Amino acid sequence: MTPDLLLLDLLIGQGVSIQVADLAGYRIPDAEIIYLTGSSKYPNGELFELSRNASWVLRKPISFNELKAMLTHFAASPSKSPSPRSKEM
């Protein structure tokens, strides 16, 4: 089974998960990437230029209900795409 969505924390240890998303883009090109971050890195949407398959950036803290609603919306979407690429919350 191939995933439709990857939910990644932007910061992993001392690095960022952009490389994980890039690798996933080659292995699963149709998968959407949703980043979670509490970091102030990339405050002006630069992440969308650095991560070619980023669909959303959600800022922490995010409540479980907000995250659940986002995933429910994604699952119900006929195209399996939660939004245009440029969304940042």
Side-chain angles (χ1 to χ4, degrees), residues 2-65:
T2 304
D4 295 322
L5 171 77
L6 291 168
L7 184 62
L8 299 172
D9 197 316
L10 178 62
L11 299 180
I12 301 175
Q14 298 297 318
V16 294
S17 60
I18 294 171
Q19 294 86 359
V20 174
D22 286 344
L23 179 60
Y26 291 110
R27 302 281 314 258
I28 320 162
D30 294 331
E32 302 285 345
I33 305 293
I34 297 177
Y35 285 103
L36 294 172
T37 186
S39 168
S40 60
K41 277 188 162 191
Y42 317 119
N44 299 310
E46 301 93 339
L47 183 58
F48 294 107
E49 294 174 21
L50 297 171
S51 182
R52 64 183 174 81
N53 49 352
S55 299
W56 284 76
V57 176
L58 302 176
R59 299 287 174 186
K60 293 184 208 174
I62 183 168
S63 75
F64 175 76
N65 287 334

